[in-house]
Amino acid sequence: MGDEIEIGGPFDNLRLRDFRVLHEASKRGRVRVNLWSDEAIVAAGEDVKFPLAERKYLLEAIRFIDTVRVIGVPTVGDRRDLPSDFGPLPPAEPLPVDPPGKKVLVTGCYDWFHSGHVAFFEECAAMGDLYVGVGSDATIGQLKGKGHPLFPQDERRYIVAACRHVKHAFVSTGTGWLDAEPELMRIRPHIYAVNEDGDKPAKREYCEKHGIEYRVLKRVPKPGLPARQSTRLRGF
């Protein structure tokens, strides 16, 4: 499979470039992340935004990474062969029609990817193959107002798809709270899961009409980690 590639850093506020670097590295070999401890970040003259346990949990959920090792001395690792300009995002995989197996569908904005999203995906993936509908820029702007989304739809879809708990991520092509209706008809999930603030009458009624189990899950962070919401992280 190639050499082991070591990449070090604080990974304190994951953004698109972090995912692109890790993705590119995974094409060259097994990726080991040397994750800076909180003390190492402070020693490098930076502030800690997310605690070590949360940063490690997020990284371990990324499918491009094989192992994560916490280190106490700041280092960046080997990035010599990685490009500085990655070009356009890889295209989304085609959405399958009525794929086999037990299927779970969730939808949302996923505008600031955080540990709460990972915990939700992990819980849903335990029920079956997880399909994630990412709201389009137009739909999110319509539902949430000016300034939303913070990041464009293709970027949000790519980052969600990088989570190892996700079978397939796509940009929903419908509108409103039931924006994934065209994809629901195509995938035919057994379960539509939402968190409490995503529980909407239109979703519940659709599932009742089409014989889809509708599950409302509580927002429960991974044990030992703080509760996270994109709205609070964005500040609006």
Side-chain angles (χ1 to χ4, degrees):
M1 182 177 173
D3 298 329
E4 181 174 73
I5 308 229
E6 292 190 24
I7 297 180
F11 294 96
D12 194 24
N13 192 8
L14 289 176
R15 286 291 180 262
L16 178 64
R17 177 164 179 78
D18 297 306
F19 287 89
R20 298 300 302 273
V21 165
L22 294 166
H23 191 178
E24 185 65 29
S26 71
K27 299 175 185 177
R28 316 292 177 89
R30 294 173 54 82
V31 176
R32 182 172 77 179
V33 170
N34 293 325
L35 176 61
W36 296 6
S37 67
D38 293 345
E39 294 76 14
I41 294 176
V42 173
E46 301 178 25
D47 295 326
V48 178
K49 184 176 182 64
F50 298 98
L52 174 62
E54 186 172 12
R55 292 184 284 117
K56 187 171 185 287
Y57 176 64
L58 265 170
L59 287 172
E60 289 175 339
I62 297 174
R63 65 175 75 250
F64 309 132
I65 297 172
D66 293 283
T67 57
V68 178
R69 181 182 68 170
V70 178
I71 61 173
V73 179
T75 176
V76 296
D78 188 358
R79 304 191 188 196
R80 289 173 299 177
D81 297 328
L82 300 179
S84 57
D85 181 7
F86 297 100
L89 287 171
E93 295 290 330
L95 189 65
V97 178
D98 194 14
K102 189 169 185 180
K103 296 158 286 188
V104 183
L105 185 133
V106 303
T107 56
C109 178
Y110 310 111
D111 202 14
W112 187 316
F113 196 67
H114 54 70
S115 60
H117 293 139
V118 174
F120 179 61
F121 290 165
E122 187 175 9
E123 183 177 3
C124 292
M127 308 174 196
D129 291 337
L130 180 60
Y131 294 79
V132 181
V134 176
S136 69
D137 293 346
T139 294
I140 299 305
Q142 176 190 34
L143 295 176
K144 297 197 173 188
K146 186 177 179 180
H148 296 85
L150 190 63
F151 302 107
Q153 61 191 41
D154 289 338
E155 179 175 329
R156 291 182 285 117
R157 191 272 314 160
Y158 172 78
I159 289 174
V160 167
C163 180
R164 66 176 74 251
H165 304 302
V166 175
K167 177 76 172 181
H168 190 104
F170 58 88
V171 176
S172 300
T173 58
T175 59
W177 290 115
L178 199 58
D179 60 329
E181 183 175 5
E183 288 73 32
L184 276 161
M185 296 173 64
R186 186 179 179 92
I187 296 170
R188 299 183 180 275
H190 298 86
I191 300 170
Y192 188 172
V194 300
N195 56 37
E196 292 170 302
D197 57 356
D199 181 14
K200 305 296 178 183
K203 299 175 183 178
R204 186 179 295 272
E205 291 166 8
Y206 181 93
C207 289
E208 290 176 353
K209 180 179 178 181
H210 293 275
I212 300 170
E213 183 180 353
Y214 187 68
R215 292 194 190 181
V216 182
L217 308 179
K218 293 185 178 296
R219 281 186 177 272
V220 180
K222 197 72 174 174
L225 300 185
R228 295 294 185 193
Q229 288 184 282
S230 298
T231 299
R232 293 178 182 174
L233 290 171
R234 284 194 309 262
F236 67 96

